Amino acid sequence: MMPVFSWASLSPALPELFLVMLGMVMVLAGLSQSEGAARSLCRVAIGGFALALMMLLGVNWDSAPVMNGMFVMDHFAGFMKLLILLGLMAAVALSVRYLEQEEIDRFEYPILIVFAGLGMMLMVSAHNLLAMYVGLELQSLSLYVLAAFRRNHSKSSEAGMKYFVLGALASGMLLFGASLVYGYTGALGFDAISHALAGGKAGAGLVIGLVFLLVGLAFKVSAVPFHMWTPDVYEGAPTSVTALFAIVPKIAAMGLLMRLLTEPFGSIMPEWQQVVWVLSLASMAVGAFAGLVQNNIKRLLAYSSIGNMGYALVGVAAGTASGMGAVILYLAIYMIMAAGTFGIVLSMRRGGRAYEDIEDLSGLSRTNPLMAWTLAFLMFSMSGIPPLAGFFGKLFIFQAAIASQFYVLAVLGVLCSVVAAYYYLRVIKVMFFDDPLDALDSDLGFSLRAVVFLSIAFVLFFIFSPDTLVETSRNAAAALFAG
Amino acid sequence: MIQVAAFYLFASVLTACALAVICARNPVHSVLFLIACFFSAAGLFVLLGAEFIALILVIVYVGAVAVLFLFVVMMLDISFQDLRRGAMQYVPLGLGIGLVLLVELFTLYRAWPERTPVITAESTAIENTEALGRIIYTDYLFAFQVSGLILFVAMIGAIVLTHRCRPDVRRQKVAEQNRRKPSDVLEIKKVSSGSGA
Amino acid sequence: MEILAVFTPLLGFLLAFLFGKQMGDRGAQFVTCAGMSVAAFVSVVLFFDVVFDSDPRTIQLATWMTAGDFSVNWALRVDQLAAVMICVVNIVSACVHFYSIGYMAHDSCRARFMSYLSLFTFAMLMLVTSDNLLQLFFGWEGVGVASYLLIGFWNHKHSANAAAVKAFIVNRMGDFGLALGVMSAFVIFGSVQFDAMFEKAPELAEVNFMFMGHSVHALTLICLLLFIGACGKSAQLGLHTWLPDAMEGPTPVSALIHAATMVTAGVFLVARMSPVFEYAPFALEVVTVVGALTAFVAATIGLTQFDIKRVIAYSTMSQLGYMFFALGVSAYGAAIFHLMTHAFFKALLFLGAGSVIHAMSDEQDMRNMGGIWKLIPTTYVLMWIGSLALAGIPFFAGYYSKDIILESAFAAHSGAGEFAYWMGIAAALMTAFYSWRLIFMTFHGAPRADEHVMAHVHESPPVMISSLIILATGAIFAGALFYEPFVAGDTGGHEGLQIISHEIEIEREVEAPVVEEEHEENIWNRFGFWGESLKVLPEHDTLAAAHHVPEWVKLLPTFMGVLGIFLAWVLYIKRAGVATRIAAVAGPLHRLFFHKWYFDELYETLFVRNAWRIGRAFSLKGDKQIIDGYGPDGIAAWSQRVASGIGRLQTGCLYHYAFAMVAGLFGIVTWFFLRAGF
């Protein structure tokens, strides 16, 4: 007996459906317009994301899975999508001026971002291994293309290529894992898997299947040792795309990872905790140490993002609702800091040329004190110095780890963050104590200014009212443990 | 009995050809071995009673993908030998790791739960084409549609990365041609004798 | 009023230090001198207020810190003892401030100098007005810092820097003892507030303290530790080596810090802690012996020195020895009395010496002086007054105070007291001798300086001389004026007064019971004067006994003083040149004295060099190689290595990356297989 279809049953997916339509319309609009299509479509994309955001706020965040149980809209998904949409808006806002400056202002850019965003939203709502995979692929494919977007630039093409090939490998592993899980449980839906696992001891095949799934997702969150693509892609991709990479996809991948681990595989937590433990420690260590010798600020931020995902994984390893809540909060804070930081990186231009080395910031405090102070605060926040927002992210993560008795991980994590502080502080040192170079170009776009301003405002003033965000994160995480 | 024999035939050919794909020195040979792989896999699908998938495999992968590969390989002047040279030193390590991983995965099958039923089509009364159609457009509509989107993105991506507007290529622009008026392009000048235009 | 007396110097310091550039040297001088004048004036008023109305008081300013049982306040405890000290400090300091205007007129950093002087004064005032050991320690360290800054004030002189460092380090030794004393006092008494401690002291008189398996008499331990601190500040034998070197500082500094005030901090500390010391007889004996030895040794060294300021410095040390053995025989009043008179005449001597140095174009060696008394008559006269007071010639200040000290020592009838008396007598002889040696060498005889200098000899400006005159007044009259209130009055006497003590009211030779009202009104004897600020157990009351010693005991010091002057006259005027022959004959002895009993050399070989060696070993091996090597530097270098190692892994080759992924997957899968043994 087939369930009777009704349009109302699709309502939880309203924002996604809207984005699909938006993407299609944008393709048509882009084709019919020749000059300045990229700029206007970027604006359309921002508007569209804003509309989707409103729809998101309008839909029921407590609905049962729809589309044959493949799509779920709960508090967790809702909050993650909120972050994703905000991040996407920031990423597009940062891109507008950059695309024109680098002469890669083609209208496909916002379209690809829209589809990537759609993929991310499907990922965090996925409630079935198939849905998970297609969401992931939709997102990945868009990002591969974006990484290679500056196609007549060898580094960009190389970045796209590497990302694509390694991504394909990761997808292969993910699929293999999914097939193992399917083989051992006979189910693809998260509920069904969790049902199959309930009670009985997990078989070896299932654990190995989960390992493969984890590896596939670890690639997406760039956890060590599946991180190798990250520095190269961050460096090679156009900076606006790097900003996008740093801001949003990690949230989606991490969201998917959290849902996968807690909902279907919640009953074999001790097994996956070991894996996540190793991944997080390795990520923190590599992120901290490898960053020390980087000169390119994009590579530096790549290692920074690897390290930050390591910290986030600490919260995942804790395996508790408070741990996951801390991860969500951490991701939100990291996203905002990354947006601000990349805003500054994008404005490192002299005479119309982009500069990417840390040394290019020399003496920024004298040529452009406002920017220098902004970046300094962002760096302080990233290295987790109170009372800035970044400190609270780390604080809650390590609290959760300690509450779950992951003492070693917490201690090593703190040590890694000390090491990592070196390279954040080095940026500050270069800006404030080195001899000044020529002033940077000052014609920054309004949207970029707005993003940086909001970011720094958040970083500085988070301490005054952290409760809203903390509570929301907790609620979102609680949704994962409700079922 | 025949089925078992056929399974082992197809399976061993598949494995051997897959090995040959990565071992062959000549890239064209590799692609040809790949095609052989696809055929063997199609044979396995037939044995499972999934003739629709078997045929799709042959049509899509052999007919389109592999042939495309063949064209690409033959058109690009890439020395795969050079590309591999660096990689060869890692072969022992890679082989070692691969072997151990393989053994580990094989041991997994010891733990295969006996009671898990083999998934088959709901009823033999319907052909598997129809059966596939029924679930793809109902239960798995979501995945199917998103797959469509993926292909769409792939298409956009391909165009973005390869399509170039060459200024020297002349195209026919119908609307422009229709809009054209003599006054736009023609200038009539009075040429006095004895001096040029 | 109390606040005015204590904090105006601080205000002066802050203004002169922070705004010295803006207000200029004149402004800084004005601010600090005005501050000191106000403070000096107020302190005199305060003195009368406290002493004549017998109205000791404590003013709570703020809570400093509270930790569990441990609670310390900022407070000004102004009792009679503190009032005397405030007066001495403020008056001498004010004189020195004014004197400095003239003396430092040619210096380029006058504002800084004046501000340091005020800072020192403030710290000293904090020390003497504290009502707990911790605040005292604060003041103690404060004067240490100010002293360091002032000794090394001429920081372009290498020797000045070395002297400053030496003073600081030697004082650290003492301070360490003091800090330990404060801590053990807290352990024993459970408080560092004076009132609480003094109240408990009698109960704890028999308490022993287990320390490393040994049972130690608690109060003795505390007292000895505190005394080590006092030794450091007051340059008692053993920790005295810094004082002569400290003469590298400008002369006003020597006068203020190293004669009149700071070095008396140790005396003050023991006097302040008298209610505790009284119950630690062994500690008192140690104090007596150390004081006596100091008095003697310093005097012998003083005989042989040629630097005019060093002679006075050793004389200071010797006089401090007097004060300490007075403390040791429980004659606290006498000690403070001598402290006060000494402050006046020693400041006078120093400033006079400074005046000479000033006149001689910064010449300090007496061998290059002589024959200048006609050129600078005022200074000459003032130096005479100071020396007369120092030598204890009758009716000058020193006579009263020194005599009562010696009498008390004799009257103690203890071995230590006896020893101290004879040492004191010997020292008195030498004191007189070297004082006049100084005067004769400096002012009389043939001029030994070159003509250029001699032509330049001039009397100091009035601003310097006027301060000298104030001090001279003190040096002449302070003794006679304060003899009665400070030390007079004895229990056996007709007045029938007795010592105030809370718990033990033992009356000796009781003729009349104590009448409280009587001695509250009568401040013209020591009981009424000191009130409860000093405490002497009846059986220790040597001051009372001192009034009943044989006549020869009383006369001997004076006789010795006169004899010393006569000898000096014989050796340096009558038969000039005999002195060198005597020095040659008594070669080894002379060398011993001249080389300051080889203390510096001893310390150099025993401590300084070994400390250097150990320090170098720790610094090079321990710090640089082990701690830095494996610590910060090592970790940093290791981090860099790790980082570049990871960097090398990042080859850029696609198959490396893919391989890393597969290897990672392999690792995790293998881990599960090994662990679970599937």
Side-chain angles (χ1 to χ4, degrees), chain A residues 347-407:
Chain A
S347 42
M348 285 169 62
R349 306 180 74 87
R350 283 194 188 89
R353 260 199 72 204
Y355 286 83
E356 299 184 345
D357 280 351
I358 296 174
E359 270 67 32
D360 292 321
L361 288 169
S362 285
L364 188 65
S365 65
R366 268 153 286 170
T367 55
N368 192 340
L370 191 64
M371 195 191 277
W373 279 103
T374 308
L375 187 55
F377 275 113
L378 287 167
M379 290 286 124
F380 275 131
S381 177
M382 284 235 186
S383 49
I385 289 170
L388 303 173
F391 166 73
F392 292 94
K394 287 203 171 74
L395 177 72
F396 288 117
I397 289 274
F398 288 126
Q399 262 182 358
I402 293 208
S404 303
Q405 296 177 339
F406 282 92
Y407 298 120

Side-chain angles (χ1 to χ4, degrees), chain A residues 162 165-166 169-170 173 204 207-208 211-212 215 219 225-226 228 231-232 271 274-275 286 289-290 292-293 299 303, chain C residues 638-640 642-644 646-647 649-650 652-654 656-658 660-662 664-665 668-669 671-673 675 678:
Chain A
K162 276 180 184 164
V165 173
L166 295 174
L169 182 60
M173 290 175 177
V207 174
I208 299 303
V211 167
F212 273 84
V215 167
F219 173 84
F226 312 102
M228 304 293 266
D232 290 9
E271 313 291 336
Q274 304 166 29
V275 182
V286 169
F289 283 103
L292 296 179
V293 287
R299 276 187 96 84
Y303 283 107
Chain C
W638 179 76
S639 304
Q640 292 282 352
V642 170
S644 44
I646 296 174
L649 285 182
Q650 199 76 32
C653 289
L654 196 56
H656 286 168
Y657 295 0
M661 288 173 66
V662 175
L665 173 76
I668 298 172
V669 171
W671 157 256
F672 274 105
F673 270 92
R675 197 185 57 90
F678 299 147

Side-chain angles (χ1 to χ4, degrees), chain C residues 548-568:
Chain C
H548 303 285
V549 292
E551 276 303 303
W552 64 267
V553 173
K554 292 188 177 185
L555 289 177
L556 194 57
T558 313
F559 171 70
M560 284 299 178
V562 177
L563 182 66
I565 297 170
F566 176 72
L567 279 175

